[in-house]
Amino acid sequence: MVLQFDLLKTEGLARRGRLTLNHGVVQTPVFMPVGTYGTVKGVMPRSLIEMGAQIILGNTFHLWMRPGLDVLRQFGGLHRFEAWDRPILTDSGGFQVWSLGAMRKISEEGVRFASPVNGDKLFLTPEVSMQIQSVLNSDIVMQFDECTPYETKGVPTTEADARKSMELSLRWARRSQAEFTRLQNPNALFGIVQGGMFEHLREESLAALVELDLPGYAVGGVSVGEPKDEMLRIMAHTPHRLPAAKPRYLMGVGTPEDLIEGVAQGVDMFDCVMPTRNARNGHLFTRFGDLKMRNARHKSDERPIDETCRCHACASGFSRAYMHHLDRCGEMLGPMLASIHNLHFYVNLMHEVREALDGGKFATFRAQFAADRARGIG
Amino acid sequence: MVLQFDLLKTEGLARRGRLTLNHGVVQTPVFMPVGTYGTVKGVMPRSLIEMGAQIILGNTFHLWMRPGLDVLRQFGGLHRFEAWDRPILTDSGGFQVWSLGAMRKISEEGVRFASPVNGDKLFLTPEVSMQIQSVLNSDIVMQFDECTPYETKGVPTTEADARKSMELSLRWARRSQAEFTRLQNPNALFGIVQGGMFEHLREESLAALVELDLPGYAVGGVSVGEPKDEMLRIMAHTPHRLPAAKPRYLMGVGTPEDLIEGVAQGVDMFDCVMPTRNARNGHLFTRFGDLKMRNARHKSDERPIDETCRCHACASGFSRAYMHHLDRCGEMLGPMLASIHNLHFYVNLMHEVREALDGGKFATFRAQFAADRARGIG
């Protein structure tokens, strides 16, 4: 079996589903912690299990650079290498080479760039991306695509350029699928809808991808520097148009509010570096708004980060004063506990969303969530 | 009760004991992980519990700087602040202000120095050290002492200077005891034997300290830059002369071999930053010799750090190749797992020593340990 998706329940556009993959079952909507280099930064796998993480990401580009394919092939893929036996999704590397900016050159064939690790000249194509992801043996493989920028040097991408980019991604989708098939990869390949901020380009992209009959679809090219209202416009337009019988993945989004909005628009899967990256900067998410641990007002606060939270950081007697102290001293335990807390918040938020959907109470949950977050934490 | 020490068994000079403190029982010989700023670097308290750590250290000087006494007083001491309910030993701050070098000035009264955190002019005396340690409410309080350097600018300390320094520490011991008593500190104060590399000075120091009838004694001023044979000479001379009915603590020592040698010389308690500091540099201790994770030979090694080790890092499927990868990528999980492994090695080594002593087989254990370590790890 490659992938099975069961749509269990809907409420408006919101969906409650179950995704069965080669390494296990994923209840949706789901948040997927990001493990770029084969580790979710600062978090032990067992902590991910404890918080209920069902599936994590790996970054094809980074893992290709280090540890490299020889090592990953020897380990039979990423799962054993990083000691994680639940499902894994890998991106295609497209977004990362695109992020290299001036250091890369994009052509019809693929992307030429110099390795940021050792300067080696490298060439990433749809075929190479599929070959790497086959070695990684990730449960969900993403097509190689070009991420259409929102703007270049302050100038928003024109419709003509967005079309060119979207059409290139489509041709790369077909090449990805052909190579994925040739490699007899036993996992599931997802297509990525592009089209920038142009609804009709998004629709064209989607229609062409649907013809490929892939087992899942993603919305890419959001959260790439566009204003919030532009992102919300695309989130309101595209996700619910993806095939209803297949899982829908909104790439790289976002804040807790963005996730709830995404669910309301019919998204099943999310990933974002925000919980771990913000944790390392002392930015903690809670049900009642966010906390900046660096703020001196926490200096002698005996309360846990969030009294209603059941994560290891909140339930083990660590106070805000202690978190503030760890941050101030640059002690590793600070980001370690903060990362657990933030990831738990994101993972658990989706757990609560699933419960709400199961009970037909997502609308109520959504309203309560907005009110709680706006209340602010004392 | 302040402190109770029960000597359970001896083998040669080596001792098997049980130390009862206000926050619990400590089986000796024991290794105490160092938690300078109220955290054992990179290790969660629950990991310390899992590996069997019985007592940890805190550094008075650092905790005085950050978070400061107001916060620690509010939390009723260090235990609740750092979420650790087993015993804690705190040093006196003497070694840390001594380490400031040119930035401090030592007089009969105490040590004047500028805060390395904010430049404030501070004055640490035996009385202030006792006051801080009372706020910390550590189970074992160390007297304020002057650490006699092995050498200054390449010139070994003369006997005259070592005597002056040792006698100053003695006067500070008396002042420490007087202030500790005045404060009605409910915990246990340890004296520290100084005297540099001079056996008769060590004996004078010890004789005078014994007159104070303190509940425990430490050997200080070793592992301060002296050659190994000098350290071994003092280790062979001083520890077994400390009162047999009271716990003996060898401060700041050392390698796994040093610990075994210390036990053989009658030491009950050890602390050292080596397991955690070396872990952060990719230096791993094992029963069969040490491993440098940065070495390229580990790049594709599928074995755990040590196949015979039961620590979380070795027992959870993390390979040497993965540890090498984490180190190379500068990922936090590398030092996190390495610190758990190294601390587990030290803590478990003392556990095995206790079992050997219980069975009257310490000599056999010691010989096997030396042979195993010399064997080298494949």
Side-chain angles (χ1 to χ4, degrees), chain A residues 37-38 41 46 50 66-67 74 80 299-300 302 322 325 331, chain B residues 37-38 41 46 50 66-67 74 80 299-300 302 322 325 331:
Chain A
Y37 267 121
K41 287 188 192 300
R46 72 165 180 185
E50 284 171 3
R66 294 179 293 195
Q74 182 188 329
R80 187 159 79 90
K299 188 174 164 48
S300 57
E302 299 179 33
Y322 187 60
H325 167 73
E331 286 283 353
Chain B
Y37 267 122
K41 286 186 193 301
R46 72 166 181 185
E50 284 171 4
R66 294 180 294 194
Q74 183 189 328
R80 187 160 79 89
K299 187 173 164 51
S300 56
E302 298 179 32
Y322 187 60
H325 167 72
E331 286 283 352

PDB file of all heavy atoms in Angstrom, chain A residues 37-38 41 46 50 66-67 74 80 299-300 302 322 325 331, chain B residues 37-38 41 46 50 66-67 74 80 299-300 302 322 325 331:
ATOM      1  N   TYR A  37      17.825  18.591   9.283  1.00  0.00           N
ATOM      2  CA  TYR A  37      19.035  17.774   9.111  1.00  0.00           C
ATOM      3  C   TYR A  37      18.887  16.396   9.738  1.00  0.00           C
ATOM      4  O   TYR A  37      19.867  15.843  10.247  1.00  0.00           O
ATOM      5  CB  TYR A  37      20.228  18.486   9.753  1.00  0.00           C
ATOM      6  CG  TYR A  37      21.027  19.361   8.808  1.00  0.00           C
ATOM      7  CD1 TYR A  37      21.185  20.720   9.055  1.00  0.00           C
ATOM      8  CD2 TYR A  37      21.628  18.817   7.676  1.00  0.00           C
ATOM      9  CE1 TYR A  37      21.929  21.521   8.195  1.00  0.00           C
ATOM     10  CE2 TYR A  37      22.364  19.604   6.810  1.00  0.00           C
ATOM     11  CZ  TYR A  37      22.522  20.948   7.075  1.00  0.00           C
ATOM     12  OH  TYR A  37      23.258  21.727   6.222  1.00  0.00           O
ATOM     13  N   GLY A  38      17.661  15.860   9.759  1.00  0.00           N
ATOM     14  CA  GLY A  38      17.482  14.552  10.393  1.00  0.00           C
ATOM     15  C   GLY A  38      17.350  14.661  11.893  1.00  0.00           C
ATOM     16  O   GLY A  38      17.555  13.686  12.620  1.00  0.00           O
ATOM     17  N   LYS A  41      15.151  20.261  15.690  1.00  0.00           N
ATOM     18  CA  LYS A  41      16.198  20.961  16.449  1.00  0.00           C
ATOM     19  C   LYS A  41      15.909  21.011  17.956  1.00  0.00           C
ATOM     20  O   LYS A  41      14.891  21.542  18.384  1.00  0.00           O
ATOM     21  CB  LYS A  41      16.392  22.381  15.907  1.00  0.00           C
ATOM     22  CG  LYS A  41      17.093  22.408  14.554  1.00  0.00           C
ATOM     23  CD  LYS A  41      17.456  23.818  14.106  1.00  0.00           C
ATOM     24  CE  LYS A  41      17.880  23.828  12.650  1.00  0.00           C
ATOM     25  NZ  LYS A  41      19.057  22.993  12.342  1.00  0.00           N
ATOM     26  N   ARG A  46      12.017  10.811  21.462  1.00  0.00           N
ATOM     27  CA  ARG A  46      11.034  10.347  22.447  1.00  0.00           C
ATOM     28  C   ARG A  46      10.152  11.494  22.940  1.00  0.00           C
ATOM     29  O   ARG A  46       8.995  11.276  23.306  1.00  0.00           O
ATOM     30  CB  ARG A  46      11.721   9.646  23.606  1.00  0.00           C
ATOM     31  CG  ARG A  46      12.472  10.551  24.550  1.00  0.00           C
ATOM     32  CD  ARG A  46      12.770   9.759  25.818  1.00  0.00           C
ATOM     33  NE  ARG A  46      13.489  10.576  26.769  1.00  0.00           N
ATOM     34  CZ  ARG A  46      13.958  10.094  27.917  1.00  0.00           C
ATOM     35  NH1 ARG A  46      13.799   8.822  28.222  1.00  0.00           N
ATOM     36  NH2 ARG A  46      14.584  10.877  28.736  1.00  0.00           N
ATOM     37  N   GLU A  50       6.132  11.575  22.900  1.00  0.00           N
ATOM     38  CA  GLU A  50       5.347  11.941  24.082  1.00  0.00           C
ATOM     39  C   GLU A  50       4.317  13.027  23.777  1.00  0.00           C
ATOM     40  O   GLU A  50       3.226  13.042  24.336  1.00  0.00           O
ATOM     41  CB  GLU A  50       6.269  12.429  25.202  1.00  0.00           C
ATOM     42  CG  GLU A  50       7.010  11.316  25.902  1.00  0.00           C
ATOM     43  CD  GLU A  50       8.067  11.846  26.859  1.00  0.00           C
ATOM     44  OE1 GLU A  50       8.174  13.084  27.005  1.00  0.00           O
ATOM     45  OE2 GLU A  50       8.782  11.029  27.438  1.00  0.00           O
ATOM     46  N   ARG A  66      24.514  16.777   3.809  1.00  0.00           N
ATOM     47  CA  ARG A  66      25.014  16.089   5.005  1.00  0.00           C
ATOM     48  C   ARG A  66      23.892  15.277   5.606  1.00  0.00           C
ATOM     49  O   ARG A  66      22.838  15.855   5.835  1.00  0.00           O
ATOM     50  CB  ARG A  66      25.526  17.113   6.053  1.00  0.00           C
ATOM     51  CG  ARG A  66      26.740  17.884   5.609  1.00  0.00           C
ATOM     52  CD  ARG A  66      27.185  18.869   6.649  1.00  0.00           C
ATOM     53  NE  ARG A  66      26.213  19.943   6.850  1.00  0.00           N
ATOM     54  CZ  ARG A  66      26.486  21.094   7.502  1.00  0.00           C
ATOM     55  NH1 ARG A  66      27.668  21.294   8.017  1.00  0.00           N
ATOM     56  NH2 ARG A  66      25.566  22.019   7.651  1.00  0.00           N
ATOM     57  N   PRO A  67      24.039  13.973   5.860  1.00  0.00           N
ATOM     58  CA  PRO A  67      25.277  13.196   5.776  1.00  0.00           C
ATOM     59  C   PRO A  67      25.625  12.738   4.372  1.00  0.00           C
ATOM     60  O   PRO A  67      26.678  12.144   4.190  1.00  0.00           O
ATOM     61  CB  PRO A  67      24.961  11.982   6.662  1.00  0.00           C
ATOM     62  CG  PRO A  67      23.498  11.767   6.465  1.00  0.00           C
ATOM     63  CD  PRO A  67      22.915  13.154   6.343  1.00  0.00           C
ATOM     64  N   GLN A  74      23.104   3.414   3.082  1.00  0.00           N
ATOM     65  CA  GLN A  74      23.584   2.344   3.961  1.00  0.00           C
ATOM     66  C   GLN A  74      22.598   2.079   5.098  1.00  0.00           C
ATOM     67  O   GLN A  74      22.401   0.927   5.505  1.00  0.00           O
ATOM     68  CB  GLN A  74      24.954   2.734   4.513  1.00  0.00           C
ATOM     69  CG  GLN A  74      25.569   1.658   5.397  1.00  0.00           C
ATOM     70  CD  GLN A  74      26.832   2.167   6.084  1.00  0.00           C
ATOM     71  OE1 GLN A  74      27.558   3.009   5.550  1.00  0.00           O
ATOM     72  NE2 GLN A  74      27.085   1.663   7.277  1.00  0.00           N
ATOM     73  N   ARG A  80      15.775   4.952   9.948  1.00  0.00           N
ATOM     74  CA  ARG A  80      16.716   4.312  10.867  1.00  0.00           C
ATOM     75  C   ARG A  80      17.836   5.275  11.231  1.00  0.00           C
ATOM     76  O   ARG A  80      18.310   5.295  12.373  1.00  0.00           O
ATOM     77  CB  ARG A  80      17.291   3.025  10.258  1.00  0.00           C
ATOM     78  CG  ARG A  80      18.140   2.249  11.278  1.00  0.00           C
ATOM     79  CD  ARG A  80      18.297   0.782  10.907  1.00  0.00           C
ATOM     80  NE  ARG A  80      19.286   0.560   9.880  1.00  0.00           N
ATOM     81  CZ  ARG A  80      20.586   0.334  10.128  1.00  0.00           C
ATOM     82  NH1 ARG A  80      21.034   0.289  11.375  1.00  0.00           N
ATOM     83  NH2 ARG A  80      21.426   0.134   9.141  1.00  0.00           N
ATOM     84  N   LYS A 299      11.188  37.678  35.372  1.00  0.00           N
ATOM     85  CA  LYS A 299      12.371  37.409  36.211  1.00  0.00           C
ATOM     86  C   LYS A 299      12.070  36.616  37.486  1.00  0.00           C
ATOM     87  O   LYS A 299      12.844  35.763  37.889  1.00  0.00           O
ATOM     88  CB  LYS A 299      13.031  38.738  36.569  1.00  0.00           C
ATOM     89  CG  LYS A 299      14.380  38.594  37.278  1.00  0.00           C
ATOM     90  CD  LYS A 299      15.030  39.972  37.459  1.00  0.00           C
ATOM     91  CE  LYS A 299      16.154  39.967  38.482  1.00  0.00           C
ATOM     92  NZ  LYS A 299      17.141  38.914  38.353  1.00  0.00           N
ATOM     93  N   SER A 300      10.934  36.911  38.115  1.00  0.00           N
ATOM     94  CA  SER A 300      10.644  36.214  39.370  1.00  0.00           C
ATOM     95  C   SER A 300       9.254  35.566  39.349  1.00  0.00           C
ATOM     96  O   SER A 300       8.664  35.315  40.388  1.00  0.00           O
ATOM     97  CB  SER A 300      10.762  37.188  40.538  1.00  0.00           C
ATOM     98  OG  SER A 300       9.901  38.291  40.334  1.00  0.00           O
ATOM     99  N   GLU A 302       6.791  32.767  39.311  1.00  0.00           N
ATOM    100  CA  GLU A 302       6.862  31.357  39.724  1.00  0.00           C
ATOM    101  C   GLU A 302       5.958  30.441  38.905  1.00  0.00           C
ATOM    102  O   GLU A 302       6.033  29.215  39.037  1.00  0.00           O
ATOM    103  CB  GLU A 302       6.501  31.231  41.214  1.00  0.00           C
ATOM    104  CG  GLU A 302       7.450  31.995  42.115  1.00  0.00           C
ATOM    105  CD  GLU A 302       7.075  31.896  43.591  1.00  0.00           C
ATOM    106  OE1 GLU A 302       6.547  30.854  44.000  1.00  0.00           O
ATOM    107  OE2 GLU A 302       7.322  32.883  44.317  1.00  0.00           O
ATOM    108  N   TYR A 322      12.550  30.604  35.802  1.00  0.00           N
ATOM    109  CA  TYR A 322      13.639  29.690  35.434  1.00  0.00           C
ATOM    110  C   TYR A 322      13.899  29.750  33.931  1.00  0.00           C
ATOM    111  O   TYR A 322      15.061  29.813  33.495  1.00  0.00           O
ATOM    112  CB  TYR A 322      13.279  28.275  35.875  1.00  0.00           C
ATOM    113  CG  TYR A 322      14.377  27.254  35.700  1.00  0.00           C
ATOM    114  CD1 TYR A 322      15.596  27.401  36.350  1.00  0.00           C
ATOM    115  CD2 TYR A 322      14.195  26.140  34.895  1.00  0.00           C
ATOM    116  CE1 TYR A 322      16.608  26.464  36.199  1.00  0.00           C
ATOM    117  CE2 TYR A 322      15.193  25.191  34.741  1.00  0.00           C
ATOM    118  CZ  TYR A 322      16.393  25.355  35.387  1.00  0.00           C
ATOM    119  OH  TYR A 322      17.392  24.414  35.234  1.00  0.00           O
ATOM    120  N   HIS A 325      15.724  32.847  33.226  1.00  0.00           N
ATOM    121  CA  HIS A 325      17.116  32.683  33.672  1.00  0.00           C
ATOM    122  C   HIS A 325      17.933  31.880  32.650  1.00  0.00           C
ATOM    123  O   HIS A 325      19.054  32.270  32.286  1.00  0.00           O
ATOM    124  CB  HIS A 325      17.099  31.989  35.037  1.00  0.00           C
ATOM    125  CG  HIS A 325      18.419  31.466  35.489  1.00  0.00           C
ATOM    126  ND1 HIS A 325      19.437  32.285  35.918  1.00  0.00           N
ATOM    127  CD2 HIS A 325      18.904  30.198  35.574  1.00  0.00           C
ATOM    128  CE1 HIS A 325      20.491  31.542  36.252  1.00  0.00           C
ATOM    129  NE2 HIS A 325      20.186  30.283  36.059  1.00  0.00           N
ATOM    130  N   GLU A 331      21.787  29.055  28.395  1.00  0.00           N
ATOM    131  CA  GLU A 331      21.866  27.636  28.711  1.00  0.00           C
ATOM    132  C   GLU A 331      21.002  26.821  27.740  1.00  0.00           C
ATOM    133  O   GLU A 331      19.860  27.173  27.467  1.00  0.00           O
ATOM    134  CB  GLU A 331      21.393  27.385  30.150  1.00  0.00           C
ATOM    135  CG  GLU A 331      22.398  27.825  31.201  1.00  0.00           C
ATOM    136  CD  GLU A 331      23.559  26.843  31.348  1.00  0.00           C
ATOM    137  OE1 GLU A 331      23.520  25.755  30.743  1.00  0.00           O
ATOM    138  OE2 GLU A 331      24.515  27.193  32.081  1.00  0.00           O
TER     139      GLU A 331
ATOM    140  N   TYR B  37      24.876  26.922  36.535  1.00  0.00           N
ATOM    141  CA  TYR B  37      23.870  27.995  36.566  1.00  0.00           C
ATOM    142  C   TYR B  37      22.482  27.461  36.914  1.00  0.00           C
ATOM    143  O   TYR B  37      21.484  27.978  36.421  1.00  0.00           O
ATOM    144  CB  TYR B  37      23.806  28.683  35.201  1.00  0.00           C
ATOM    145  CG  TYR B  37      24.689  29.900  35.080  1.00  0.00           C
ATOM    146  CD1 TYR B  37      25.671  29.970  34.107  1.00  0.00           C
ATOM    147  CD2 TYR B  37      24.519  31.006  35.922  1.00  0.00           C
ATOM    148  CE1 TYR B  37      26.475  31.103  33.978  1.00  0.00           C
ATOM    149  CE2 TYR B  37      25.305  32.137  35.800  1.00  0.00           C
ATOM    150  CZ  TYR B  37      26.282  32.182  34.830  1.00  0.00           C
ATOM    151  OH  TYR B  37      27.061  33.295  34.705  1.00  0.00           O
ATOM    152  N   GLY B  38      22.418  26.413  37.713  1.00  0.00           N
ATOM    153  CA  GLY B  38      21.108  25.854  38.042  1.00  0.00           C
ATOM    154  C   GLY B  38      20.598  24.928  36.959  1.00  0.00           C
ATOM    155  O   GLY B  38      19.399  24.654  36.875  1.00  0.00           O
ATOM    156  N   LYS B  41      24.375  21.299  32.149  1.00  0.00           N
ATOM    157  CA  LYS B  41      24.295  21.805  30.768  1.00  0.00           C
ATOM    158  C   LYS B  41      23.782  20.765  29.776  1.00  0.00           C
ATOM    159  O   LYS B  41      24.358  19.685  29.620  1.00  0.00           O
ATOM    160  CB  LYS B  41      25.667  22.324  30.316  1.00  0.00           C
ATOM    161  CG  LYS B  41      26.040  23.661  30.960  1.00  0.00           C
ATOM    162  CD  LYS B  41      27.326  24.250  30.402  1.00  0.00           C
ATOM    163  CE  LYS B  41      27.841  25.386  31.267  1.00  0.00           C
ATOM    164  NZ  LYS B  41      26.895  26.522  31.420  1.00  0.00           N
ATOM    165  N   ARG B  46      14.932  15.112  34.410  1.00  0.00           N
ATOM    166  CA  ARG B  46      14.441  13.734  34.371  1.00  0.00           C
ATOM    167  C   ARG B  46      15.473  12.779  33.772  1.00  0.00           C
ATOM    168  O   ARG B  46      15.499  11.594  34.123  1.00  0.00           O
ATOM    169  CB  ARG B  46      13.130  13.644  33.605  1.00  0.00           C
ATOM    170  CG  ARG B  46      13.234  13.810  32.117  1.00  0.00           C
ATOM    171  CD  ARG B  46      11.916  13.348  31.508  1.00  0.00           C
ATOM    172  NE  ARG B  46      11.966  13.459  30.061  1.00  0.00           N
ATOM    173  CZ  ARG B  46      10.918  13.214  29.290  1.00  0.00           C
ATOM    174  NH1 ARG B  46       9.766  12.887  29.825  1.00  0.00           N
ATOM    175  NH2 ARG B  46      11.010  13.312  27.992  1.00  0.00           N
ATOM    176  N   GLU B  50      16.859   9.417  35.489  1.00  0.00           N
ATOM    177  CA  GLU B  50      16.916   8.130  34.781  1.00  0.00           C
ATOM    178  C   GLU B  50      18.291   7.485  34.857  1.00  0.00           C
ATOM    179  O   GLU B  50      18.416   6.270  34.924  1.00  0.00           O
ATOM    180  CB  GLU B  50      16.549   8.324  33.307  1.00  0.00           C
ATOM    181  CG  GLU B  50      15.066   8.506  33.078  1.00  0.00           C
ATOM    182  CD  GLU B  50      14.755   8.925  31.645  1.00  0.00           C
ATOM    183  OE1 GLU B  50      15.700   8.992  30.823  1.00  0.00           O
ATOM    184  OE2 GLU B  50      13.595   9.191  31.362  1.00  0.00           O
ATOM    185  N   ARG B  66      23.535  35.407  38.567  1.00  0.00           N
ATOM    186  CA  ARG B  66      22.288  35.148  37.861  1.00  0.00           C
ATOM    187  C   ARG B  66      21.696  33.843  38.351  1.00  0.00           C
ATOM    188  O   ARG B  66      22.425  32.851  38.311  1.00  0.00           O
ATOM    189  CB  ARG B  66      22.539  35.061  36.321  1.00  0.00           C
ATOM    190  CG  ARG B  66      22.975  36.359  35.710  1.00  0.00           C
ATOM    191  CD  ARG B  66      23.210  36.230  34.222  1.00  0.00           C
ATOM    192  NE  ARG B  66      24.347  35.349  33.930  1.00  0.00           N
ATOM    193  CZ  ARG B  66      24.952  35.269  32.733  1.00  0.00           C
ATOM    194  NH1 ARG B  66      24.540  36.018  31.728  1.00  0.00           N
ATOM    195  NH2 ARG B  66      25.954  34.445  32.538  1.00  0.00           N
ATOM    196  N   PRO B  67      20.458  33.777  38.793  1.00  0.00           N
ATOM    197  CA  PRO B  67      19.430  34.818  38.753  1.00  0.00           C
ATOM    198  C   PRO B  67      19.548  35.847  39.867  1.00  0.00           C
ATOM    199  O   PRO B  67      18.790  36.802  39.855  1.00  0.00           O
ATOM    200  CB  PRO B  67      18.128  34.015  38.904  1.00  0.00           C
ATOM    201  CG  PRO B  67      18.518  32.886  39.787  1.00  0.00           C
ATOM    202  CD  PRO B  67      19.924  32.523  39.356  1.00  0.00           C
ATOM    203  N   GLN B  74      13.067  33.973  46.869  1.00  0.00           N
ATOM    204  CA  GLN B  74      11.635  33.857  46.607  1.00  0.00           C
ATOM    205  C   GLN B  74      11.231  32.407  46.357  1.00  0.00           C
ATOM    206  O   GLN B  74      10.142  31.976  46.772  1.00  0.00           O
ATOM    207  CB  GLN B  74      11.285  34.726  45.400  1.00  0.00           C
ATOM    208  CG  GLN B  74       9.793  34.733  45.079  1.00  0.00           C
ATOM    209  CD  GLN B  74       9.520  35.428  43.759  1.00  0.00           C
ATOM    210  OE1 GLN B  74      10.229  36.357  43.376  1.00  0.00           O
ATOM    211  NE2 GLN B  74       8.500  34.975  43.060  1.00  0.00           N
ATOM    212  N   ARG B  80      13.756  24.199  44.261  1.00  0.00           N
ATOM    213  CA  ARG B  80      12.516  24.460  43.531  1.00  0.00           C
ATOM    214  C   ARG B  80      12.804  25.248  42.259  1.00  0.00           C
ATOM    215  O   ARG B  80      12.171  25.030  41.223  1.00  0.00           O
ATOM    216  CB  ARG B  80      11.509  25.214  44.410  1.00  0.00           C
ATOM    217  CG  ARG B  80      10.136  25.343  43.736  1.00  0.00           C
ATOM    218  CD  ARG B  80       9.026  25.621  44.739  1.00  0.00           C
ATOM    219  NE  ARG B  80       8.965  26.994  45.161  1.00  0.00           N
ATOM    220  CZ  ARG B  80       8.257  27.945  44.539  1.00  0.00           C
ATOM    221  NH1 ARG B  80       7.545  27.658  43.461  1.00  0.00           N
ATOM    222  NH2 ARG B  80       8.249  29.174  44.993  1.00  0.00           N
ATOM    223  N   LYS B 299      31.817   8.200  10.235  1.00  0.00           N
ATOM    224  CA  LYS B 299      30.849   8.727   9.267  1.00  0.00           C
ATOM    225  C   LYS B 299      29.736   7.751   8.899  1.00  0.00           C
ATOM    226  O   LYS B 299      28.588   8.155   8.728  1.00  0.00           O
ATOM    227  CB  LYS B 299      31.595   9.163   7.995  1.00  0.00           C
ATOM    228  CG  LYS B 299      30.732   9.886   6.974  1.00  0.00           C
ATOM    229  CD  LYS B 299      31.596  10.422   5.827  1.00  0.00           C
ATOM    230  CE  LYS B 299      30.782  10.815   4.608  1.00  0.00           C
ATOM    231  NZ  LYS B 299      29.651  11.701   4.871  1.00  0.00           N
ATOM    232  N   SER B 300      30.076   6.482   8.774  1.00  0.00           N
ATOM    233  CA  SER B 300      29.036   5.522   8.370  1.00  0.00           C
ATOM    234  C   SER B 300      28.948   4.341   9.332  1.00  0.00           C
ATOM    235  O   SER B 300      28.466   3.268   8.966  1.00  0.00           O
ATOM    236  CB  SER B 300      29.307   5.037   6.946  1.00  0.00           C
ATOM    237  OG  SER B 300      30.606   4.478   6.870  1.00  0.00           O
ATOM    238  N   GLU B 302      27.404   2.143  11.937  1.00  0.00           N
ATOM    239  CA  GLU B 302      26.015   1.919  12.359  1.00  0.00           C
ATOM    240  C   GLU B 302      25.889   1.549  13.836  1.00  0.00           C
ATOM    241  O   GLU B 302      24.777   1.484  14.364  1.00  0.00           O
ATOM    242  CB  GLU B 302      25.381   0.808  11.510  1.00  0.00           C
ATOM    243  CG  GLU B 302      25.330   1.163  10.034  1.00  0.00           C
ATOM    244  CD  GLU B 302      24.729   0.042   9.191  1.00  0.00           C
ATOM    245  OE1 GLU B 302      23.861  -0.688   9.685  1.00  0.00           O
ATOM    246  OE2 GLU B 302      25.144  -0.089   8.018  1.00  0.00           O
ATOM    247  N   TYR B 322      25.233   8.780  13.145  1.00  0.00           N
ATOM    248  CA  TYR B 322      24.274   9.856  13.430  1.00  0.00           C
ATOM    249  C   TYR B 322      24.894  10.877  14.381  1.00  0.00           C
ATOM    250  O   TYR B 322      24.761  12.086  14.170  1.00  0.00           O
ATOM    251  CB  TYR B 322      23.001   9.246  14.031  1.00  0.00           C
ATOM    252  CG  TYR B 322      21.860  10.221  14.227  1.00  0.00           C
ATOM    253  CD1 TYR B 322      21.312  10.902  13.147  1.00  0.00           C
ATOM    254  CD2 TYR B 322      21.327  10.446  15.498  1.00  0.00           C
ATOM    255  CE1 TYR B 322      20.255  11.789  13.328  1.00  0.00           C
ATOM    256  CE2 TYR B 322      20.272  11.323  15.687  1.00  0.00           C
ATOM    257  CZ  TYR B 322      19.742  11.992  14.601  1.00  0.00           C
ATOM    258  OH  TYR B 322      18.692  12.868  14.777  1.00  0.00           O
ATOM    259  N   HIS B 325      27.211  12.946  12.424  1.00  0.00           N
ATOM    260  CA  HIS B 325      26.428  13.870  11.594  1.00  0.00           C
ATOM    261  C   HIS B 325      25.930  15.063  12.418  1.00  0.00           C
ATOM    262  O   HIS B 325      26.038  16.226  11.986  1.00  0.00           O
ATOM    263  CB  HIS B 325      25.255  13.087  10.984  1.00  0.00           C
ATOM    264  CG  HIS B 325      24.188  13.927  10.366  1.00  0.00           C
ATOM    265  ND1 HIS B 325      24.366  14.600   9.175  1.00  0.00           N
ATOM    266  CD2 HIS B 325      22.927  14.221  10.781  1.00  0.00           C
ATOM    267  CE1 HIS B 325      23.256  15.267   8.877  1.00  0.00           C
ATOM    268  NE2 HIS B 325      22.361  15.053   9.830  1.00  0.00           N
ATOM    269  N   GLU B 331      24.148  20.469  15.341  1.00  0.00           N
ATOM    270  CA  GLU B 331      22.788  20.299  15.844  1.00  0.00           C
ATOM    271  C   GLU B 331      22.800  20.066  17.361  1.00  0.00           C
ATOM    272  O   GLU B 331      23.583  19.277  17.869  1.00  0.00           O
ATOM    273  CB  GLU B 331      22.109  19.113  15.150  1.00  0.00           C
ATOM    274  CG  GLU B 331      21.694  19.400  13.711  1.00  0.00           C
ATOM    275  CD  GLU B 331      20.429  20.257  13.635  1.00  0.00           C
ATOM    276  OE1 GLU B 331      19.792  20.502  14.678  1.00  0.00           O
ATOM    277  OE2 GLU B 331      20.080  20.676  12.504  1.00  0.00           O
TER     278      GLU B 331
END
